[in-house]
Amino acid sequence: MTTDQIWRNEEQAVFALRGLYQRYGYAPYKMSQFEEYDLYVRNKDFLISDKIITFSGEGGKLMALKPDVTLSIVKNAPEEPGVVQKVYYSENVYRDYREIMQAGLECVGDLTQYDIAEAVLLAAKSLDLLGGRYVLDISHMGLLAAVLERCGFDEVKQKQAMACLRQKNTHDLKALCGENEEGWQTLQAISACRGGMDALEALLPYLTGEPEQAAVAELKALLEMLKERGYVEGVRLDFSVSNDLGYYSGVVFRGYLEGIPESILSGGQYDKLPRKMGRKSRAIGFAVYADLLQERNREDGAFDVDTLVLHDGTVPLAEVNRAAKAASKNGSVLVATTAPKGRSWKNLVTLKGGAAQ
């Protein structure tokens, strides 16, 4: 597929993404439509939404229609030294009382820095594969956590500071710092950081702690790898991208496609989640919200089908077939006796008594 081809149908897009992940050695993962509710309630802060559809299962056990795939993968991943489980999925999840088509991958186990960088590379490749202009914003939770700790913030202030960074609200961020001028200067620089390697270099004077410098080294290596693979134009650092400090530990990222008003891809390194589940594994992954491709369809006026062929039911089969065959040379074709509601088409062919009009 050429880079300028744009996937608009979510099922076709998911099929293409599966092919991408397979080429990098990821194996398919399939889970049940439901899991025990207890798994989700114990990790509700990790979920995007807390609106979970539940029902009573066998023996009265409370079950839930899956709002997430990651928790199941982490729960069932093997734990052996040197072993990394790389899986991809395409599943319907149930969130906010809606069924959502989602594709993605998870890398769980004894991770190396290459495993982490490869997952981010595949996030960039996923956006590129979907077509059109894209942006992949990258941040690092380990760096942010270290800076907030150096500022002397307690848990409450850390959450407030993270909210300010997400909103780029420097006014309230400065108020949180109070008389801590050094902390304020550092957080102001982090909030303003937006770009590539040059933007990261500009942060170096403010990041004096050992954990901060270790995070910078990770980001440098990651940006260099992405540049080497040809994914630098659409990638930028942006520390307004953040997730729960209680779960996420390293690089986090969010992806956008032109024509879609919200992020279509979200992920990151979440080593703290396995720890909370009593496991020793490290983990990174991301999800692509394929259903949002419909937003791009509406934005650019895309059609469901290229040609609608309407016939009145009395036209001979051979005539309908000839019209459909001719129309197929110009793209997709829908043959019907009545114009379907809720569908759109570029060209219309009507057949009455064997004559096209």
Short mmCIF file of all heavy atoms in Angstrom, two decimals, residues 286-327:
data_model
loop_
_atom_site.label_atom_id
_atom_site.label_comp_id
_atom_site.label_asym_id
_atom_site.label_seq_id
_atom_site.Cartn_x
_atom_site.Cartn_y
_atom_site.Cartn_z
N PHE A 286 -0.25 -0.24 22.92
CA PHE A 286 -1.10 0.87 22.49
C PHE A 286 -2.35 0.31 21.82
O PHE A 286 -2.40 -0.86 21.43
CB PHE A 286 -0.36 1.81 21.53
CG PHE A 286 0.09 1.19 20.24
CD1 PHE A 286 -0.78 1.06 19.16
CD2 PHE A 286 1.41 0.76 20.08
CE1 PHE A 286 -0.36 0.50 17.96
CE2 PHE A 286 1.84 0.19 18.89
CZ PHE A 286 0.95 0.07 17.83
N ALA A 287 -3.34 1.18 21.71
CA ALA A 287 -4.60 0.83 21.05
C ALA A 287 -4.88 1.84 19.95
O ALA A 287 -4.58 3.03 20.09
CB ALA A 287 -5.75 0.83 22.05
N VAL A 288 -5.46 1.36 18.86
CA VAL A 288 -5.93 2.20 17.76
C VAL A 288 -7.45 2.13 17.76
O VAL A 288 -8.02 1.05 17.71
CB VAL A 288 -5.39 1.72 16.40
CG1 VAL A 288 -5.95 2.60 15.27
CG2 VAL A 288 -3.87 1.73 16.39
N TYR A 289 -8.11 3.29 17.86
CA TYR A 289 -9.57 3.34 17.92
C TYR A 289 -10.11 3.48 16.50
O TYR A 289 -10.36 4.58 16.00
CB TYR A 289 -10.01 4.49 18.82
CG TYR A 289 -9.31 4.44 20.16
CD1 TYR A 289 -8.40 5.43 20.53
CD2 TYR A 289 -9.51 3.38 21.03
CE1 TYR A 289 -7.74 5.38 21.75
CE2 TYR A 289 -8.84 3.31 22.25
CZ TYR A 289 -7.96 4.30 22.61
OH TYR A 289 -7.29 4.23 23.80
N ALA A 290 -10.26 2.32 15.85
CA ALA A 290 -10.57 2.30 14.42
C ALA A 290 -11.92 2.91 14.10
O ALA A 290 -12.13 3.42 12.99
CB ALA A 290 -10.51 0.86 13.90
N ASP A 291 -12.85 2.89 15.05
CA ASP A 291 -14.17 3.44 14.77
C ASP A 291 -14.11 4.95 14.49
O ASP A 291 -15.01 5.50 13.85
CB ASP A 291 -15.12 3.16 15.95
CG ASP A 291 -14.62 3.76 17.26
OD1 ASP A 291 -13.49 3.44 17.65
OD2 ASP A 291 -15.36 4.55 17.86
N LEU A 292 -13.04 5.62 14.95
CA LEU A 292 -12.93 7.06 14.73
C LEU A 292 -12.64 7.41 13.28
O LEU A 292 -12.72 8.58 12.90
CB LEU A 292 -11.84 7.66 15.63
CG LEU A 292 -12.13 7.68 17.13
CD1 LEU A 292 -10.94 8.25 17.89
CD2 LEU A 292 -13.38 8.49 17.43
N LEU A 293 -12.29 6.42 12.46
CA LEU A 293 -12.07 6.69 11.05
C LEU A 293 -13.33 7.22 10.39
O LEU A 293 -13.27 7.91 9.37
CB LEU A 293 -11.60 5.42 10.33
CG LEU A 293 -10.21 4.93 10.71
CD1 LEU A 293 -9.92 3.59 10.05
CD2 LEU A 293 -9.14 5.95 10.33
N GLN A 294 -14.49 6.92 10.97
CA GLN A 294 -15.75 7.45 10.45
C GLN A 294 -15.77 8.98 10.53
O GLN A 294 -16.41 9.64 9.71
CB GLN A 294 -16.93 6.87 11.23
CG GLN A 294 -17.08 5.36 11.07
CD GLN A 294 -18.19 4.81 11.94
OE1 GLN A 294 -18.97 5.56 12.52
NE2 GLN A 294 -18.27 3.50 12.02
N GLU A 295 -15.07 9.53 11.51
CA GLU A 295 -15.00 10.99 11.64
C GLU A 295 -14.32 11.60 10.41
O GLU A 295 -14.73 12.64 9.92
CB GLU A 295 -14.23 11.37 12.90
CG GLU A 295 -14.89 10.97 14.20
CD GLU A 295 -16.14 11.78 14.46
OE1 GLU A 295 -16.23 12.92 13.98
OE2 GLU A 295 -17.04 11.27 15.15
N ARG A 296 -13.28 10.93 9.92
CA ARG A 296 -12.58 11.44 8.74
C ARG A 296 -13.48 11.35 7.51
O ARG A 296 -13.46 12.22 6.66
CB ARG A 296 -11.28 10.66 8.51
CG ARG A 296 -10.49 11.16 7.34
CD ARG A 296 -9.03 10.74 7.40
NE ARG A 296 -8.86 9.30 7.36
CZ ARG A 296 -7.67 8.71 7.45
NH1 ARG A 296 -6.59 9.43 7.61
NH2 ARG A 296 -7.56 7.40 7.40
N ASN A 297 -14.28 10.30 7.45
CA ASN A 297 -15.23 10.18 6.34
C ASN A 297 -16.16 11.38 6.30
O ASN A 297 -16.42 11.96 5.26
CB ASN A 297 -16.06 8.90 6.49
CG ASN A 297 -15.22 7.65 6.33
OD1 ASN A 297 -14.04 7.72 6.04
ND2 ASN A 297 -15.83 6.51 6.55
N ARG A 298 -16.70 11.75 7.47
CA ARG A 298 -17.64 12.88 7.52
C ARG A 298 -16.93 14.19 7.22
O ARG A 298 -17.48 15.09 6.60
CB ARG A 298 -18.31 12.92 8.89
CG ARG A 298 -19.34 11.83 9.11
CD ARG A 298 -20.16 12.08 10.36
NE ARG A 298 -19.40 11.76 11.55
CZ ARG A 298 -19.41 10.56 12.14
NH1 ARG A 298 -20.11 9.58 11.63
NH2 ARG A 298 -18.72 10.33 13.24
N GLU A 299 -15.67 14.29 7.68
CA GLU A 299 -14.92 15.53 7.52
C GLU A 299 -14.64 15.83 6.05
O GLU A 299 -14.74 16.96 5.59
CB GLU A 299 -13.61 15.43 8.30
CG GLU A 299 -12.72 16.66 8.21
CD GLU A 299 -13.25 17.81 9.02
OE1 GLU A 299 -14.10 17.60 9.90
OE2 GLU A 299 -12.81 18.95 8.75
N ASP A 300 -14.24 14.77 5.29
CA ASP A 300 -13.86 15.04 3.90
C ASP A 300 -14.94 14.68 2.90
O ASP A 300 -14.70 14.68 1.69
CB ASP A 300 -12.55 14.31 3.56
CG ASP A 300 -12.67 12.79 3.66
OD1 ASP A 300 -13.81 12.30 3.74
OD2 ASP A 300 -11.63 12.12 3.63
N GLY A 301 -16.14 14.37 3.36
CA GLY A 301 -17.25 14.09 2.47
C GLY A 301 -17.12 12.79 1.72
O GLY A 301 -17.66 12.65 0.62
N ALA A 302 -16.40 11.83 2.29
CA ALA A 302 -16.22 10.54 1.62
C ALA A 302 -17.56 9.82 1.50
O ALA A 302 -18.46 9.99 2.32
CB ALA A 302 -15.23 9.68 2.41
N PHE A 303 -17.66 8.98 0.47
CA PHE A 303 -18.89 8.24 0.21
C PHE A 303 -18.75 6.80 0.69
O PHE A 303 -17.65 6.24 0.70
CB PHE A 303 -19.21 8.25 -1.28
CG PHE A 303 -19.44 9.63 -1.85
CD1 PHE A 303 -18.43 10.31 -2.49
CD2 PHE A 303 -20.69 10.24 -1.72
CE1 PHE A 303 -18.63 11.59 -3.00
CE2 PHE A 303 -20.91 11.51 -2.23
CZ PHE A 303 -19.89 12.18 -2.86
N ASP A 304 -19.90 6.20 1.06
CA ASP A 304 -19.89 4.79 1.44
C ASP A 304 -19.55 3.91 0.25
O ASP A 304 -18.89 2.88 0.39
CB ASP A 304 -21.27 4.37 1.97
CG ASP A 304 -21.62 5.07 3.27
OD1 ASP A 304 -20.71 5.36 4.04
OD2 ASP A 304 -22.81 5.33 3.49
N VAL A 305 -20.05 4.29 -0.93
CA VAL A 305 -19.89 3.49 -2.13
C VAL A 305 -19.72 4.42 -3.32
O VAL A 305 -20.25 5.53 -3.33
CB VAL A 305 -21.10 2.55 -2.31
CG1 VAL A 305 -22.36 3.32 -2.60
CG2 VAL A 305 -20.85 1.50 -3.39
N ASP A 306 -18.94 3.99 -4.31
CA ASP A 306 -18.71 4.85 -5.48
C ASP A 306 -19.94 4.95 -6.37
O ASP A 306 -20.29 6.03 -6.84
CB ASP A 306 -17.51 4.33 -6.28
CG ASP A 306 -16.21 4.50 -5.53
OD1 ASP A 306 -15.90 5.63 -5.14
OD2 ASP A 306 -15.52 3.48 -5.30
N THR A 307 -20.61 3.82 -6.62
CA THR A 307 -21.76 3.82 -7.52
C THR A 307 -22.91 3.01 -6.93
O THR A 307 -22.70 1.88 -6.46
CB THR A 307 -21.40 3.23 -8.90
OG1 THR A 307 -20.31 3.96 -9.45
CG2 THR A 307 -22.59 3.29 -9.85
N LEU A 308 -24.09 3.60 -6.94
CA LEU A 308 -25.32 2.90 -6.56
C LEU A 308 -26.07 2.56 -7.84
O LEU A 308 -26.40 3.45 -8.63
CB LEU A 308 -26.18 3.77 -5.65
CG LEU A 308 -27.58 3.23 -5.33
CD1 LEU A 308 -27.50 1.93 -4.54
CD2 LEU A 308 -28.39 4.27 -4.56
N VAL A 309 -26.33 1.28 -8.07
CA VAL A 309 -27.11 0.83 -9.21
C VAL A 309 -28.51 0.45 -8.72
O VAL A 309 -28.67 -0.49 -7.94
CB VAL A 309 -26.46 -0.39 -9.91
CG1 VAL A 309 -27.35 -0.88 -11.06
CG2 VAL A 309 -25.08 -0.02 -10.44
N LEU A 310 -29.51 1.22 -9.14
CA LEU A 310 -30.89 0.97 -8.74
C LEU A 310 -31.66 0.33 -9.90
O LEU A 310 -31.57 0.80 -11.04
CB LEU A 310 -31.60 2.27 -8.34
CG LEU A 310 -31.23 2.89 -7.00
CD1 LEU A 310 -32.04 4.17 -6.79
CD2 LEU A 310 -31.50 1.92 -5.85
N HIS A 311 -32.39 -0.74 -9.60
CA HIS A 311 -33.26 -1.35 -10.62
C HIS A 311 -34.62 -1.60 -9.98
O HIS A 311 -34.77 -1.66 -8.76
CB HIS A 311 -32.65 -2.65 -11.15
CG HIS A 311 -32.50 -3.73 -10.13
ND1 HIS A 311 -33.42 -4.74 -9.97
CD2 HIS A 311 -31.53 -3.94 -9.19
CE1 HIS A 311 -33.02 -5.53 -8.99
NE2 HIS A 311 -31.88 -5.07 -8.50
N ASP A 312 -35.65 -1.73 -10.83
CA ASP A 312 -37.02 -1.79 -10.29
C ASP A 312 -37.50 -3.22 -10.01
O ASP A 312 -38.66 -3.45 -9.71
CB ASP A 312 -38.00 -1.09 -11.24
CG ASP A 312 -38.03 -1.74 -12.62
OD1 ASP A 312 -37.40 -2.82 -12.79
OD2 ASP A 312 -38.66 -1.15 -13.52
N GLY A 313 -36.59 -4.18 -10.10
CA GLY A 313 -36.98 -5.56 -9.80
C GLY A 313 -37.48 -6.33 -11.00
O GLY A 313 -37.60 -7.56 -10.94
N THR A 314 -37.78 -5.63 -12.10
CA THR A 314 -38.27 -6.31 -13.30
C THR A 314 -37.20 -6.37 -14.38
O THR A 314 -37.39 -7.01 -15.42
CB THR A 314 -39.50 -5.58 -13.87
OG1 THR A 314 -39.12 -4.28 -14.31
CG2 THR A 314 -40.59 -5.48 -12.82
N VAL A 315 -36.09 -5.71 -14.16
CA VAL A 315 -35.01 -5.69 -15.14
C VAL A 315 -34.35 -7.06 -15.19
O VAL A 315 -34.05 -7.65 -14.15
CB VAL A 315 -33.97 -4.61 -14.77
CG1 VAL A 315 -32.83 -4.58 -15.79
CG2 VAL A 315 -34.62 -3.25 -14.68
N PRO A 316 -34.10 -7.60 -16.37
CA PRO A 316 -33.45 -8.91 -16.48
C PRO A 316 -32.10 -8.95 -15.76
O PRO A 316 -31.37 -7.95 -15.73
CB PRO A 316 -33.28 -9.09 -17.99
CG PRO A 316 -34.36 -8.24 -18.59
CD PRO A 316 -34.48 -7.06 -17.69
N LEU A 317 -31.79 -10.11 -15.21
CA LEU A 317 -30.54 -10.29 -14.49
C LEU A 317 -29.33 -9.89 -15.33
O LEU A 317 -28.40 -9.23 -14.83
CB LEU A 317 -30.41 -11.75 -14.05
CG LEU A 317 -29.07 -12.19 -13.45
CD1 LEU A 317 -28.76 -11.41 -12.19
CD2 LEU A 317 -29.07 -13.69 -13.17
N ALA A 318 -29.33 -10.27 -16.59
CA ALA A 318 -28.18 -9.97 -17.46
C ALA A 318 -27.95 -8.47 -17.58
O ALA A 318 -26.80 -8.00 -17.61
CB ALA A 318 -28.41 -10.58 -18.84
N GLU A 319 -29.03 -7.68 -17.63
CA GLU A 319 -28.90 -6.23 -17.74
C GLU A 319 -28.34 -5.63 -16.45
O GLU A 319 -27.47 -4.74 -16.48
CB GLU A 319 -30.26 -5.61 -18.06
CG GLU A 319 -30.83 -6.00 -19.42
CD GLU A 319 -29.98 -5.44 -20.56
OE1 GLU A 319 -29.36 -4.39 -20.38
OE2 GLU A 319 -29.92 -6.10 -21.62
N VAL A 320 -28.84 -6.11 -15.32
CA VAL A 320 -28.34 -5.61 -14.03
C VAL A 320 -26.86 -5.96 -13.89
O VAL A 320 -26.04 -5.14 -13.45
CB VAL A 320 -29.15 -6.20 -12.86
CG1 VAL A 320 -28.57 -5.73 -11.52
CG2 VAL A 320 -30.61 -5.81 -12.96
N ASN A 321 -26.51 -7.18 -14.28
CA ASN A 321 -25.13 -7.64 -14.18
C ASN A 321 -24.20 -6.78 -15.04
O ASN A 321 -23.10 -6.41 -14.62
CB ASN A 321 -25.03 -9.11 -14.59
CG ASN A 321 -23.62 -9.63 -14.47
OD1 ASN A 321 -22.99 -9.51 -13.42
ND2 ASN A 321 -23.08 -10.19 -15.55
N ARG A 322 -24.63 -6.46 -16.28
CA ARG A 322 -23.81 -5.63 -17.16
C ARG A 322 -23.58 -4.24 -16.56
O ARG A 322 -22.47 -3.70 -16.61
CB ARG A 322 -24.46 -5.51 -18.54
CG ARG A 322 -24.11 -6.67 -19.47
CD ARG A 322 -24.47 -6.34 -20.92
NE ARG A 322 -25.92 -6.27 -21.10
CZ ARG A 322 -26.66 -7.33 -21.44
NH1 ARG A 322 -26.09 -8.51 -21.60
NH2 ARG A 322 -27.96 -7.21 -21.62
N ALA A 323 -24.63 -3.68 -15.98
CA ALA A 323 -24.50 -2.35 -15.38
C ALA A 323 -23.57 -2.38 -14.17
O ALA A 323 -22.74 -1.48 -13.97
CB ALA A 323 -25.88 -1.83 -14.99
N ALA A 324 -23.70 -3.43 -13.35
CA ALA A 324 -22.85 -3.54 -12.17
C ALA A 324 -21.39 -3.75 -12.56
O ALA A 324 -20.47 -3.18 -11.96
CB ALA A 324 -23.33 -4.70 -11.30
N LYS A 325 -21.17 -4.58 -13.60
CA LYS A 325 -19.81 -4.84 -14.07
C LYS A 325 -19.17 -3.57 -14.61
O LYS A 325 -18.00 -3.26 -14.32
CB LYS A 325 -19.84 -5.92 -15.15
CG LYS A 325 -18.47 -6.29 -15.69
CD LYS A 325 -18.59 -7.37 -16.75
CE LYS A 325 -17.21 -7.72 -17.32
NZ LYS A 325 -17.31 -8.75 -18.38
N ALA A 326 -19.92 -2.79 -15.36
CA ALA A 326 -19.39 -1.53 -15.90
C ALA A 326 -19.06 -0.55 -14.79
O ALA A 326 -18.02 0.12 -14.81
CB ALA A 326 -20.39 -0.93 -16.88
N ALA A 327 -19.96 -0.47 -13.79
CA ALA A 327 -19.74 0.47 -12.69
C ALA A 327 -18.54 0.06 -11.83
O ALA A 327 -17.86 0.92 -11.26
CB ALA A 327 -21.00 0.55 -11.83
#
